[in-house]
Amino acid sequence: MTATIEPKIIKERLPSASARLSLVPTGSVPGLLDGAWWPRSRDLLREIPTLTDALDACWGRITHVTVNPAHWPVIPRKAPVTGHTVHVGWFADEQDPNKVILFSYTVGRLDLLVIPPETEPAAAARLMAAATVPGGISTASGLMADEAMSHDATEARSREEEWETDGGAASAAGAAIGISSSALRK
C-alpha cells in the first residue's frame, strides 16, 4: 500500500465525537502497550485532534505522532489541534502497522494499539481490555492476530452449530443412503 504525504495543513477542523481510548492505569507496571485507540475513520487530520484533546489534559501536550502507512491512506506532515500543531511522521518497516506512537515533551512516549474503525464493538472492547493489561507483553499486531483467530474460531463453531441444528451428521448420512431428513426426524 502506498501512503500519500499531504504537505498542506487544513485550518478548518470538523467537529467530531470524543476519542474512543483506553489507557493502562496510572502507576501500573509498564508493558509493551500503554493502551488502545479506536478511531472512527482512517482520516488522520480528523482523528489526531480528537486523540490529542483526550490526552493533552491528563498526559501532557502531544507534539509528535508516528504511524505505519499500512492502514492510513493519507498522512499529513502536520495536524492542527487545540492550541498547537502536532507533527506527524511515518515508518513503514520500523513501526508495527497496528500501533500509533505519541510523544510529549513533558512525559515521554505513549504506544497505543490502533483498532481499525470498522471493528465490531464487541471485538473492539476485547482488544481495548487486552491492550490495557498492566505489564502486558503482547504487541499490537499480536493482539490483532489473537482477535482474528478468536473470531475465526467463533465463526467456525457457529457454522457447526447451525449445521447440527439443521440435521447435521444425521442429515448428511441419510442423504448418502437416500433417506430424507424428514424421515430421520420421525
Side-chain angles (χ1 to χ4, degrees), residues 1-180:
M1 175 179 192
T2 304
T4 304
I5 307 301
E6 180 60 45
K8 296 183 216 171
I9 295 177
I10 298 174
K11 295 292 181 191
E12 292 179 27
R13 219 173 120 189
L14 300 172
S16 60
S18 63
R20 298 183 291 188
L21 180 66
S22 183
L23 299 173
V24 174
T26 304
S28 297
V29 174
L32 293 180
L33 294 171
D34 300 301
W37 172 47
W38 186 21
R40 288 172 166 53
S41 73
R42 295 194 184 275
D43 181 354
L44 280 173
L45 273 176
R46 185 176 197 158
E47 297 297 333
I48 288 175
T50 305
L51 179 60
T52 60
D53 283 351
L55 291 171
D56 278 355
C58 65
W59 198 69
R61 179 179 262 192
I62 304 300
T63 57
H64 290 79
V65 173
T66 65
V67 297
N68 183 308
H71 300 299
W72 304 101
V74 176
I75 300 173
R77 292 179 192 267
K78 297 178 182 179
V81 300
T82 305
H84 65 288
T85 300
V86 171
H87 297 273
V88 183
W90 60 274
F91 298 97
D93 296 328
E94 299 87 357
Q95 186 169 330
D96 187 325
N98 298 298
K99 182 168 75 172
V100 62
I101 302 172
L102 300 105
F103 297 93
S104 165
Y105 285 133
T106 56
V107 178
R109 174 177 164 160
L110 191 65
D111 293 35
L112 300 177
L113 164 69
V114 177
I115 300 169
E118 62 276 2
T119 303
E120 295 176 5
R126 285 190 299 272
L127 286 164
M128 286 189 147
T132 57
V133 171
I137 58 170
S138 295
T139 64
S141 286
L143 289 175
M144 294 302 293
D146 290 348
E147 180 60 32
M149 285 190 330
S150 173
H151 179 267
D152 292 346
T154 301
E155 195 172 283
R157 274 193 308 273
S158 177
R159 282 193 306 266
E160 184 176 331
E161 288 171 3
E162 183 178 330
W163 185 67
E164 288 293 339
T165 302
D166 289 342
S171 177
I177 59 173
I179 302 172
S180 72

